[in-house]
Amino acid sequence: DYVERCRGTNGGYGGGVGHDAHALYTLSAVQIYALFDASERLDVDAIVKYVQSLQLADGSFQGDEWGEVDTRFTYCVLSTLRLLNRLDAVDVDGACAYINTCRNFDGGFGATPGGESHAGQVFTCVGALAIGGRLDYVDADLLGWWLAERQTPGGGLCGRPEKLPDVCYSWWCLSALALLGRLHWLDGAALAAFVLGCQDEEAGGISDRP
């Protein structure tokens, strides 16, 4: 019921009641309805029309009507449409080709062409390419190496070279490596120990680092 109150008149969902609709929150809404087996409450045609409106001529997607372009939004839209079985509603080949223009010499991906490789962007790009059936755009060995190099001496993973480890990158890096079939390139036991070391054993929850 709360999520429904976050739905905009344009068919998308915002991050809160009265907020502008955005691709990120529209995906979250569709995921939440799916998790609660309530997808029949969705106005699928309205959602599809909204995310269709976000695709630009070069295949990229803006996040909302205000025009910011980021490869994260391509993943959000393709994931939304895959959950709704409506991938045919957008130019998937064009979206994947745009992501390929964001690929860097190190095998990673940036938010836009020429943007720095970042583990969060890498997951969204690899995830979108997997949904679009174009993992052939990825140099799996080169990118797998880049992702494996994100493991720090303490076992945790970072998002970019020379950055501190952060528990959130356990998700971004591991998910991408799983899609590439290279999870075994990491020291899983060391990573698990790092994550467990970030627990608050008294109050609960997990922090970004110990």
Side-chain angles (χ1 to χ4, degrees), residues 52-95:
Q52 275 180 325
S53 73
L54 301 177
Q55 190 166 29
L56 303 179
D58 63 359
S60 66
F61 285 88
Q62 55 190 39
D64 56 23
E65 62 183 298
W66 306 112
E68 180 188 9
V69 173
D70 189 310
T71 47
R72 290 176 300 163
F73 308 148
T74 300
Y75 170 76
C76 289
V77 170
L78 295 188
S79 189
T80 295
L81 293 173
R82 177 65 184 84
L83 288 168
L84 298 175
N85 294 313
R86 293 290 299 275
L87 272 176
D88 60 309
V90 296
D91 180 2
V92 175
D93 288 340

Side-chain angles (χ1 to χ4, degrees), residues 126 135 138-140 143-144 147 175-183:
V126 173
L135 281 176
V138 181
D139 184 332
L143 179 54
L147 289 164
S175 298
L177 284 166
L179 287 167
L180 299 175
R182 284 160 177 77
L183 271 178

Side-chain angles (χ1 to χ4, degrees), residues 24-144:
L24 285 165
Y25 306 116
T26 299
L27 172 58
S28 295
V30 171
Q31 289 173 325
I32 290 166
Y33 278 104
L35 285 167
F36 284 101
D37 295 321
S39 295
E40 73 280 353
R41 295 178 60 178
L42 292 169
D43 185 340
V44 173
D45 289 339
I47 293 170
V48 170
K49 185 177 180 181
Y50 171 68
V51 297
Q52 275 180 325
S53 73
L54 301 177
Q55 190 166 29
L56 303 179
D58 63 359
S60 66
F61 285 88
Q62 55 190 39
D64 56 23
E65 62 183 298
W66 306 112
E68 180 188 9
V69 173
D70 189 310
T71 47
R72 290 176 300 163
F73 308 148
T74 300
Y75 170 76
C76 289
V77 170
L78 295 188
S79 189
T80 295
L81 293 173
R82 177 65 184 84
L83 288 168
L84 298 175
N85 294 313
R86 293 290 299 275
L87 272 176
D88 60 309
V90 296
D91 180 2
V92 175
D93 288 340
C96 292
Y98 174 78
I99 288 175
N100 193 43
T101 68
C102 300
R103 182 160 53 104
N104 293 318
F105 71 93
D106 53 18
F109 294 85
T112 53
E116 180 183 9
S117 296
H118 185 285
Q121 304 294 153
V122 164
F123 165 73
T124 57
C125 290
V126 173
L129 292 173
I131 292 170
R134 292 307 309 264
L135 281 176
D136 57 295
Y137 279 139
V138 181
D139 184 332
D141 284 343
L142 182 60
L143 179 54

Side-chain angles (χ1 to χ4, degrees), residues 119 150-152 156-166 169 173:
R150 303 283 63 76
Q151 189 158 34
T152 64
L157 296 165
C158 64
R160 292 175 290 162
E162 304 302 323
K163 296 294 184 179
L164 291 173
D166 184 317
Y169 294 112
C173 294

